[in-house]
Amino acid sequence: MLSQLISKLESPQGFSSYRQIVEWLEQEWHVQVKYKTVYSLVPYKLGAKLKVPRPISSSQDEQAINL
């Protein structure tokens, strides 16, 4: 179970929130894990990060980005 979670976290799709991880664990493994447990396990014990895109400024110059 833990090895599949790690591989899913390392995949390009990954998870965008800790709530998604909790739901995935319930659906795939029928295991209920508290949000706080996942929140502390993923970044601190596993060293993984969520797949969340960085925010983009509305004042950015579109032409400068496409260079």
Side-chain angles (χ1 to χ4, degrees):
M1 174 175 71
L2 190 59
S3 62
Q4 287 186 344
L5 174 60
I6 292 169
S7 65
K8 183 103 169 138
L9 285 165
E10 291 174 348
S11 73
Q13 302 87 347
F15 296 102
S16 60
S17 71
Y18 295 111
R19 180 69 54 205
Q20 281 185 343
I21 298 171
V22 170
E23 292 172 1
W24 180 80
L25 289 170
E26 288 178 4
Q27 291 173 359
E28 293 291 319
W29 296 98
H30 307 289
V31 175
Q32 291 187 343
V33 181
K34 292 184 180 182
Y35 178 91
K36 186 175 181 179
T37 304
V38 172
Y39 182 80
S40 64
L41 175 74
V42 171
Y44 301 113
K45 303 279 185 190
L46 301 179
K49 295 182 180 180
L50 297 177
K51 308 294 190 230
V52 181
R54 291 182 176 217
I56 299 173
S57 173
S58 61
S59 63
Q60 264 183 329
D61 184 15
E62 293 274 335
Q63 292 177 346
I65 296 172
N66 296 328
L67 294 177

